[in-house]
């Protein structure tokens, strides 16, 4: 039997030596593997200790935004331990402030969907004890070679402790450098983490740097993202002595040099200056710098970070310009919140002109309702329209009476408009208020003068019609005298019965009423009174005027034709003023056809109702007007008549304009002229 057939036989010397060599090799490989694992654990522990000791909180989220890393600093800032929050989404515990949750959700969505690779946000968070902390978050995403999201890294700093933030930036930079060296010696997992950290640091818009304190402040470290922010490579900045100071605007250079903290450990200095980019454009930056002790040679150095704030500066400049303009305008500008429920919006800003006009102080106005300007004379109808516009979110323009602090009233023209955010929601109301008290007084004075002139014109018109009216009155008076004289004779002779006497007396009464109607029309036309508007039918006014001018028309041999609408023509107007316009237009037509042959003197009055207006047309068959006369016919003191004063048509135009209407003249296609007065129905809503 040989040795192969005997399993209990001793192995040969060569086989035993091979087995021993194999065992020794396995022992060495095991020892190397254990050593590598120990190195990996130590490197991971070292990284964790660095992250835990940084004042900058480090959080890592997976592709579903579940927390996978929670550094010790995060625990110090917020109070939760890693085992309490890891594995949770940020919305699954009371972490994000309620008022900022929508903004944070939007930031997370943009990172998860690839809209942004990195961003910076400022929002409020809750600590474990429910207190609020204001934080700045720098978020960056890491993608694999196929572009899929691996994780999201967040750096958070407590903005209430900016001193610790500066330390964390410096320590983070040193930790990342040590981490990079350690990860080069580690296994593939640690190398992958190192690559992720470098990618995230390069993606952040904050340029981190360190430089010497003395001399030209030569850079010793600059983050690679400086090329994306300012256009320079990090190597160029570090290798060029005095690079940073040389690229600061000459006017800002001394201020930047003076911003160095005098002692290590002092509060960080914040400075803003203009920095020349690679494109030769100067852009505003915010530089936050702190002085620290270096660990190797003992010399101090500066560490800090820079942010491009060019857009912020431009916005600030625009805001200052707007503020300066608003402060200097004469109109009052008031901004309120968006509340429309009673008691209404609250004032949050008013410009100096508002305080000059009203007599209030900012302390008496801010936070209060604009109702403090209202009083008994303020129109409630206008306030209801304002409230309706606010409820509907519409702009509006109104005139109203307001009250100053001392109780005196003033007239104001409002223009109120909504201020909307990017979502189209109303967040404020802005009101521009113009004091029109002086203009109102001038308008009232002009109306008074116009009324005086119109009254004088009516008296003059009545004087021109005196002979016709006297003739018209003479007829009923003569008839009355004849009737009475005849009754006297028949009564003396006893030849009249009671029935005949009653008939004669009824005729006397009729003639007396006819005389009274003529006198009533004259008195109403020439009486002096304050302008007042009331609902009246335009057709009734036409009838009154025709009755008044009928004697003059008969005397001149003029036939007046009426074509009055059957539709309601009721408007709110000053009846005497509109009658005066019709009288002026009729008399103007009488004069225009005076040279026509007897029997060929015709004037037509026509009324037309439209959806938004009533038209009064007065047409004649005279010679018409020349083009130059049409252009000037309504000018004051312009007349085409040898004895005219040239005020009748001008007064008529002023009256129609005061009723928000229009008056114009055109030549007829065949012959003659037509004057058209348009009175709009909307004037019924205007205050008297």
């Amino acid at each position: 039997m040989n040795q192969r057939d005997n399993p209990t036989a001793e192995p040969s010397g060569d086989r035993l030596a091979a087995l021993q060599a194999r065992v020794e090799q396995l022992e060495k490989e095991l020892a190397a593997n254990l050593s590598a694992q120990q190195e990996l654990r130590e490197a991971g522990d070292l990284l964790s200790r660095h992250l835990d000791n940084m004042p900058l909180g480090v959080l890592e989220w997976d592709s579903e935004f579940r927390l996978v890393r929670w550094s010790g600093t995060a625990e110090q800032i917020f109070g939760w331990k890693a085992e309490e929050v890891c594995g949770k989404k940020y919305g699954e515990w009371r972490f994000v402030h309620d008022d900022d949750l929508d903004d944070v959700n939007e930031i997370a969505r943009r990172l998860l969907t690839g809209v942004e690779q990195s961003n910076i946000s400022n929002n409020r968070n809750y600590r474990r004890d429910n207190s609020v902390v204001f934080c700045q978050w720098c978020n960056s995403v890491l993608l694999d070679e196929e572009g899929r999201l691996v994780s999201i890294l967040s750096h958070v700093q407590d903005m209430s402790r900016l001193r610790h933030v500066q330390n964390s930036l410096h320590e983070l930079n040193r930790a990342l450098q040590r981490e990079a060296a350690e990860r080069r010696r580690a296994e593939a997992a640690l190398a992958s983490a190192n690559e992720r950290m470098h990618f995230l640091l390069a993606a952040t818009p904050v340029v981190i740097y360190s430089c010497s304190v003395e001399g030209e402040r030569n850079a010793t470290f600059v983050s690679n993202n400086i090329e994306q922010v300012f256009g320079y490579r990090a190597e160029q900045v570090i290798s060029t002595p005095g690079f940073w100071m040389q690229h600061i605007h000459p006017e800002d250079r001394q201020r930047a040099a003076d911003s160095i903290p005098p002692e290590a450990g002092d509060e960080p200095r914040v400075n803003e200056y203009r920095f020349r980019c690679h494109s030769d454009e100067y852009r505003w930056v915010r530089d936050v710098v702190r002085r620290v002790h270096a660990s190797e040679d003992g010399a101090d150095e500066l560490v800090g970070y820079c942010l491009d704030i060019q857009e912020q500066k431009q916005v600030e400049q625009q805001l200052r310009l707007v503020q300066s303009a608003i402060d200097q305008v004469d109109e009052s500008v008031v901004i309120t919140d968006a509340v429309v429920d009673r008691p209404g919006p609250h004032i949050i800003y008013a410009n100096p002109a508002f305080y000059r006009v009203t007599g209030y102080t900012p302390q008496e106005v801010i936070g209060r309702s604009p109702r403090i300007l209202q009083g008994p004379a303020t129109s409630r109808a206008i306030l209801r329209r304002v409230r309706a516009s606010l409820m509907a979110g519409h702009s509006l323009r109104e005139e109203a009476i307001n009250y100053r602090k001392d109780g005196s009233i003033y007239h104001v023209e409002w223009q109120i408009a909504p201020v909307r955010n990017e979502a189209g929601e109303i967040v404020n109301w802005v009101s521009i208020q113009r004091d029109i008290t002086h203009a109102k007084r001038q308008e009232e004075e002009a109306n008074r003068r116009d009324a005086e002139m119109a009254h004088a014109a009516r008296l003059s018109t009545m004087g021109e019609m005196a002979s016709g009216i006297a003739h018209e009155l003479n007829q009923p008076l003569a008839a009355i005298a004849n009737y009475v004289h005849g009754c006297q004779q028949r009564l003396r002779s006893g030849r009249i019965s009671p029935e005949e006497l009653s008939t004669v007396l009824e005729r006397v009464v009729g003639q007396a009423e006819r005389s009274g109607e003529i006198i009533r029309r004259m008195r109403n036309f020439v009486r002096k009174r304050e302008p007042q508007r009331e609902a009246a039918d335009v057709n009734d006014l036409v009838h009154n005027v025709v009755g008044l001018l009928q004697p003059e028309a008969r005397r001149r041999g003029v036939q007046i034709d009426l074509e009055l609408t059957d539709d309601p023509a009721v408007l709110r107007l000053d009846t005497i003023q509109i009658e005066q316009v019709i009288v002026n237009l009729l008399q103007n037509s009488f004069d225009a056809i005076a040279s026509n042959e007897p029997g060929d003197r015709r004037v037509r009055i026509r009324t037309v109702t439209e959806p938004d207006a009533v038209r009064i047309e007065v047409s004649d068959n005279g010679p018409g007007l020349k083009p130059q006369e049409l252009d000037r016919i309504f000018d004051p003191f312009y007349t085409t008549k040898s004895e005219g004063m040239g005020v009748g048509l001008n007064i008529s135009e002023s009256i129609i304009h005061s009723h928000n209407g229009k008056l114009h003249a055109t030549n007829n296609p065949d012959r003659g002229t037509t004057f058209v007065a348009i009175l709009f129905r909307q004037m019924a809503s205007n205050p008297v």
Side-chain angles (χ1 to χ4, degrees), residues 655-666:
I655 291 173
I656 296 299
H657 283 179
S658 71
H659 283 72
N660 295 328
K662 297 179 180 179
L663 178 63
H664 66 274
T666 57

Side-chain angles (χ1 to χ4, degrees), residues 282-314:
Y282 278 102
R283 296 183 67 85
W284 280 97
V285 301
R286 178 176 292 120
D287 188 3
V288 182
V289 61
R290 182 174 184 178
R291 186 170 184 157
V292 297
H293 288 300
S295 59
E296 297 181 358
D297 57 4
D300 290 351
E301 67 175 353
L302 301 177
V303 296
Y305 64 88
C306 280
L307 286 172
D308 185 333
I309 60 169
Q310 179 70 20
E311 287 74 18
Q312 176 184 333
K313 280 290 186 180
Q314 291 174 345

Side-chain angles (χ1 to χ4, degrees), residues 63-77:
S63 59
E64 295 182 353
F65 239 106
R66 293 187 182 277
L67 188 64
V68 298
R69 176 178 293 183
W70 179 269
S71 70
T73 303
E75 179 180 337
Q76 294 174 10
I77 294 174

Side-chain angles (χ1 to χ4, degrees), residues 262-444:
E263 300 292 340
D266 286 349
E267 290 289 335
R269 296 289 181 89
V270 180
N271 191 19
E272 295 179 355
Y273 52 78
R274 290 161 288 181
F275 187 81
R276 180 160 54 87
C277 302
H278 187 266
S279 62
D280 284 336
E281 174 194 8
Y282 278 102
R283 296 183 67 85
W284 280 97
V285 301
R286 178 176 292 120
D287 188 3
V288 182
V289 61
R290 182 174 184 178
R291 186 170 184 157
V292 297
H293 288 300
S295 59
E296 297 181 358
D297 57 4
D300 290 351
E301 67 175 353
L302 301 177
V303 296
Y305 64 88
C306 280
L307 286 172
D308 185 333
I309 60 169
Q310 179 70 20
E311 287 74 18
Q312 176 184 333
K313 280 290 186 180
Q314 291 174 345
V315 171
E316 291 175 354
Q317 183 178 4
Q318 292 173 355
L319 289 176
R320 286 194 296 269
L321 177 62
V322 171
Q323 181 68 50
S324 176
I326 292 176
D327 287 347
Q328 295 182 51
V329 296
D330 294 331
E331 287 79 10
S332 299
V333 179
V334 177
I335 300 176
T336 69
D337 56 26
V339 176
V340 295
D341 296 331
R342 296 187 183 278
H346 303 89
I347 298 173
I348 61 176
Y349 170 81
N351 70 338
F354 174 85
Y355 298 115
R356 289 196 302 270
V357 172
T358 64
Y360 285 102
T361 64
Q363 294 77 12
E364 295 170 322
V365 168
I366 301 301
R368 300 187 64 185
S369 168
R371 289 176 177 269
I372 62 174
L373 304 176
Q374 300 168 12
T378 306
S379 170
R380 295 298 177 256
I382 292 176
L383 296 180
R384 286 193 294 271
R385 289 199 296 272
V386 171
R387 177 172 174 77
S389 295
L390 295 182
M391 295 292 291
H394 296 158
S395 301
L396 76 153
R397 185 190 296 270
E398 286 285 357
E399 292 183 7
I401 293 177
N402 277 355
Y403 285 77
R404 299 184 180 90
K405 180 182 177 181
D406 61 7
S408 60
I409 67 172
Y410 66 101
H411 294 265
V412 64
E413 181 185 67
W414 288 337
Q415 184 176 356
I416 303 176
V419 179
R420 301 180 185 272
N421 59 16
E422 295 179 354
E425 301 167 336
I426 297 177
V427 293
N428 295 101
W429 290 94
V430 59
S431 171
I432 300 176
Q433 304 177 7
R434 186 165 63 93
D435 185 352
I436 58 173
T437 305
H438 182 65
K440 280 290 184 181
R441 290 173 180 168
Q442 289 183 324
E443 181 181 347
E444 291 172 358

